[in-house]
Amino acid sequence: MTEPTRLFSFMNPLAIEIWIYVLAAYLFVSLTIYLLAKLSPMEWRSIHPCDVDHLTISNQFTISDSFWFTIGTLMQQGSDIYPRATSTRIISSIWGFFSLIIVASYTANLAAFLTVERMINPIENAEDLASQTEISYGTLDSGSTMTFFRDSMIETYKKMWRIMDNKKPMAFTSTYEDGIRRVNQGNYAFLMESTMLDYIVQRDCNLTQIGGLLDTKGYGIATPKGSPWRDKISLAILELQEKGDIQMLYDKWWKNTDETCKRISSNKQSKANALGLDSIGGVFVVLITGILVAFIVSFFEFMINFRRQAKLMRITHCNCKNHNQISYPPAKDSQTRTDLAYLPPPRSLWVEMLEELRFAFWCTNKRQRPELNSCCTQCQN
């Protein structure tokens, strides 16, 4: 039977835990890109570099832009935002690879689901077989099944007989083996007696029986007219039926033999499997590894920029102290003294990084911030 179509059947190609993990990965990567962009000095750009009194730098990754950039990559769409720093480019590349694998796996498995849905029992009964033309059908020539179709008064069976008679002799076979061989070759349905059909299907897993019985005929034992064995044989058969001996003999010789194949349930055969964590879990490992590498690279970027800025601040401070001497107005002896430029107290690398993270968490929607001057305004005049 065909499974009922559900409203959210498009989610079947991936297991529910995969959808949850993809959503969690999307949130985590978006936040990671935002934090790395705030830590990396290469993501900050000066807005008005000529205005030395009010140096303002800007960062393109706000929290909303980070989420938009990540979802755009997942949906295979472009974006006006592009990363500049090495760390943000690493995580963006890993996320792009992750998105490629997830989308490709989903698309391939979705095609498998749609194909299986179309192939689930396309022919259920004789009416379906008679109303189509792609699969030809026939029966044993001069057999009881052929006689049944030829003499039937049911419209469906009369239609099937006309089609078989028009395709004669291609629709008929001389032996059962010939009919089974044509079925295995494809696009052919062989109509035969139910007892023989059941025996063959139990031993060839490539064959299947579609629909129920078209006609019911019982087997009998023929005796001469007036034979005294007639009633005795009939009573013996009835007694065997009542005790279940005939069914036991049928199961013994038809089903419980070493020749019967181990047939898998049709429900399992007709259903494609959703991709789980065991199938595509490796791409999540690659994503986590890429995130760790991006964090390490971002730390070194921040450390190198911190040391460069600290060295530049010391040099600028010394220049201001040596070259900018002004006369302090309250001095009565008219002596000239040096007005030292203000130098913020030195902070360690970890404190500086903590301040950057605190700014990122407190000011999530701010693109701009002031840049600390390396020398005071009076020293620059």
Side-chain angles (χ1 to χ4, degrees):
M1 295 179 61
T2 305
E3 295 184 357
T5 303
R6 296 185 302 170
L7 183 61
F8 295 96
S9 296
F10 66 90
M11 299 182 65
N12 291 338
L14 299 180
I16 184 64
E17 61 268 17
I18 296 298
W19 288 108
I20 296 175
Y21 293 153
V22 169
L23 178 60
Y26 162 68
L27 298 176
F28 184 67
V29 170
S30 300
L31 294 175
T32 302
I33 290 178
Y34 169 73
L35 291 178
L36 295 183
K38 296 298 183 183
L39 289 176
S40 178
M42 283 180 277
E43 292 294 343
W44 294 94
R45 287 292 184 269
S46 179
I47 300 178
H48 303 292
C50 296
D51 187 2
V52 294
D53 289 332
H54 303 88
L55 293 178
T56 304
I57 54 179
S58 174
N59 194 307
Q60 61 179 343
F61 282 102
T62 61
I63 188 67
S64 57
D65 290 333
S66 299
F67 278 97
W68 178 250
F69 172 78
T70 310
I71 194 64
T73 306
L74 182 62
M75 296 300 176
Q76 310 294 309
Q77 299 296 322
S79 175
D80 293 336
I81 305 174
Y82 63 94
R84 299 188 181 96
T86 304
S87 57
T88 52
R89 287 184 176 182
I90 288 176
I91 191 172
S92 299
S93 302
I94 294 297
W95 176 250
F97 173 77
F98 173 86
S99 302
L100 177 64
I101 298 300
I102 291 296
V103 172
S105 301
Y106 172 81
T107 304
N109 210 31
L110 178 63
F113 267 83
L114 296 177
T115 302
V116 168
E117 185 176 355
R118 289 195 302 267
M119 293 180 62
I120 294 178
N121 296 337
I123 298 177
E124 298 286 347
N125 45 45
E127 286 75 12
D128 295 338
L129 188 63
S131 61
Q132 56 83 43
T133 56
E134 295 181 1
I135 300 177
S136 59
Y137 48 88
T139 184
L140 182 68
D141 192 11
S142 301
S144 60
T145 306
M146 174 182 171
T147 304
F148 162 74
F149 280 100
R150 185 188 60 192
D151 300 336
S152 177
M153 301 303 296
I154 301 175
E155 185 60 33
T156 301
Y157 301 152
K158 291 172 63 177
K159 177 181 179 181
M160 295 176 66
W161 169 251
R162 288 195 299 269
I163 295 175
M164 288 188 290
D165 190 43
N166 292 333
K167 294 183 178 180
K168 192 176 183 179
M170 296 298 297
F172 302 100
T173 61
S174 57
T175 60
Y176 281 120
E177 290 75 11
D178 188 21
I180 295 171
R181 179 183 56 81
R182 292 182 60 180
V183 171
N184 284 320
Q185 291 177 351
N187 291 331
Y188 182 77
F190 189 55
L191 304 169
M192 56 192 301
E193 295 182 1
S194 59
T195 305
M196 179 65 71
L197 175 62
D198 194 15
Y199 185 85
I200 296 298
V201 169
Q202 290 292 335
R203 285 155 178 76
D204 191 344
C205 288
N206 294 324
L207 302 177
T208 183
Q209 179 180 353
I210 301 298
L213 301 178
L214 303 181
D215 186 33
T216 302
K217 293 185 177 68
Y219 288 97
I221 299 177
T223 60
K225 187 176 181 180
S227 173
W229 293 100
R230 177 177 178 273
D231 294 336
K232 295 180 180 181
I233 293 176
S234 299
L235 292 174
I237 293 175
L238 291 175
E239 183 179 359
L240 292 175
Q241 287 180 342
E242 292 175 355
K243 291 182 179 181
D245 291 341
I246 294 181
Q247 184 63 37
M248 292 174 61
L249 291 173
Y250 170 79
D251 294 337
K252 176 182 178 180
W253 296 105
W254 261 253
K255 297 183 179 180
N256 298 331
T257 64
D258 295 335
E259 299 177 357
T260 57
C261 64
K262 305 300 181 182
R263 191 178 302 274
I264 303 175
S265 175
S266 59
N267 293 332
K268 295 182 179 180
Q269 286 182 335
S270 60
K271 182 178 180 181
N273 295 324
L275 295 178
L277 192 62
D278 54 344
S279 300
I280 56 177
V283 70
F284 288 93
V285 177
V286 174
L287 179 63
I288 295 175
T289 304
I291 292 175
L292 295 177
V293 172
F295 267 112
I296 295 174
V297 173
S298 177
F299 171 77
F300 282 103
E301 289 177 344
F302 187 86
M303 182 180 66
I304 294 173
N305 180 74
F306 174 79
R307 293 182 176 179
R308 185 175 67 246
Q309 292 296 332
K311 182 179 179 180
L312 181 62
M313 186 173 292
R314 287 195 299 268
I315 295 175
T316 307
H317 176 68
C318 293
N319 292 336
C320 292
K321 181 172 63 176
N322 295 331
H323 298 288
N324 293 283
Q325 294 182 355
I326 62 175
S327 178
Y328 198 68
K332 296 181 180 180
D333 53 359
S334 300
Q335 293 181 355
T336 304
R337 56 170 290 183
T338 302
D339 187 10
L340 299 180
Y342 170 73
L343 182 66
R347 294 189 297 190
S348 65
L349 172 65
W350 303 107
V351 175
E352 190 73 22
M353 184 174 294
L354 182 62
E355 290 295 326
E356 289 288 344
L357 292 176
R358 187 172 63 175
F359 174 81
F361 284 114
W362 285 2
C363 308
T364 55
N365 290 324
K366 287 188 177 181
R367 293 179 179 272
Q368 304 174 5
R369 72 172 187 184
E371 184 180 27
L372 294 178
N373 295 331
S374 59
C375 190
C376 65
T377 305
Q378 292 182 351
C379 294
Q380 293 173 351
N381 292 332

